[in-house]
Amino acid sequence: MSASTPRRTGTRAAETAARKARLIDAALGLAAEGGYDAVQMRDVAARADVALGTLYRHFSSKDQLLLAALLDQAATLRDNLERRPPAGATPAERVADVLRRASRALERDPRVTGALVTALFVNDAAAAPIKAGVREHLMAMLGTALDGADVDDLEGVVDVLGHTWISTMAFWSSGLGDGVSMSTRLERAAHLLLD
């Protein structure tokens, strides 16, 4: 093995990561323009300037692609929460802060949020590991906010809050939100469960 082999592997990994990022950005751009239906694999490949076969090597469906975008967003938020922990004197306030921060980016673009929610609810067995990753990030973020809280069923509360967040995204992105923000609804749920 030559000394240059690790560099090639590192370069290849960096190129692959950059390509995946371009694909995700292209999918999000298309979703911003026209929602879930606007995300067509051929258009994603063209916008990202990669061959269609290359796109399918990384993501076998647009749902996997959109879920990868959601996973990236969840990972970024989790990293941000580690750098700047949830604010609040009570567990409910800290959970509300996490949910508010999780919703902020999603509220900026209802079309993208709708596309991400649609992908989340598609029954695609191959996407299950990505969905599990999104759930893991969400549960970890909520768990961090509840760390040290005197809650009888911590895992149950975290699970209910996770489901509430997902259903609130679906409700809001489908236009049923009557002008009330996702974060306001989620903050209310946190207080109802934890106060």
Side-chain angles (χ1 to χ4, degrees):
M1 182 191 271
S2 72
S4 64
T5 302
R7 183 175 298 147
R8 282 191 197 143
T9 303
T11 301
R12 175 164 281 158
E15 290 170 357
T16 298
R19 189 176 308 113
K20 282 184 174 182
R22 282 198 328 269
L23 291 166
I24 289 169
D25 287 346
L28 290 174
L30 289 165
E33 293 167 13
Y36 179 81
D37 292 335
V39 182
Q40 299 299 317
M41 296 297 266
R42 186 171 303 283
D43 296 335
V44 170
R47 186 172 283 203
D49 196 28
V50 301
L52 188 58
T54 300
L55 170 56
Y56 277 109
R57 262 195 310 281
H58 294 296
F59 304 102
S60 65
S61 70
K62 77 175 179 179
D63 298 309
Q64 286 184 20
L65 180 56
L66 289 167
L67 288 169
L70 184 58
L71 181 63
D72 281 355
Q73 288 182 358
T76 298
L77 178 61
R78 187 174 176 183
D79 290 344
N80 290 342
L81 285 167
E82 287 177 9
R83 283 193 300 280
R84 194 175 61 116
T90 67
E93 289 171 0
R94 290 191 300 275
V95 166
D97 184 52
V98 168
L99 294 171
R100 190 178 316 109
R101 288 158 73 176
S103 301
R104 194 174 294 142
L106 296 168
E107 287 179 334
R108 285 187 205 119
D109 199 329
R111 285 183 178 169
V112 171
T113 302
L116 297 175
V117 168
T118 300
L120 197 57
F121 288 112
V122 168
N123 186 10
D124 177 2
I130 305 170
K131 291 179 184 182
V134 171
R135 185 178 191 284
E136 178 185 322
H137 284 305
L138 179 60
M139 296 301 137
M141 289 183 283
L142 292 172
T144 298
L146 288 169
D147 189 35
D150 184 22
V151 178
D152 289 336
D153 182 4
L154 184 62
E155 188 174 319
V157 168
V158 169
D159 196 44
V160 168
L161 287 168
H163 287 292
T164 302
W165 180 67
I166 291 168
S167 65
T168 300
M169 275 197 317
F171 186 82
W172 183 84
S173 67
S174 66
L176 299 172
D178 69 6
V180 177
S181 71
M182 273 193 288
S183 54
T184 299
R185 291 183 186 282
L186 292 167
E187 189 170 339
R188 181 172 182 234
H191 285 288
L192 287 170
L193 278 169
L194 296 165
D195 284 341

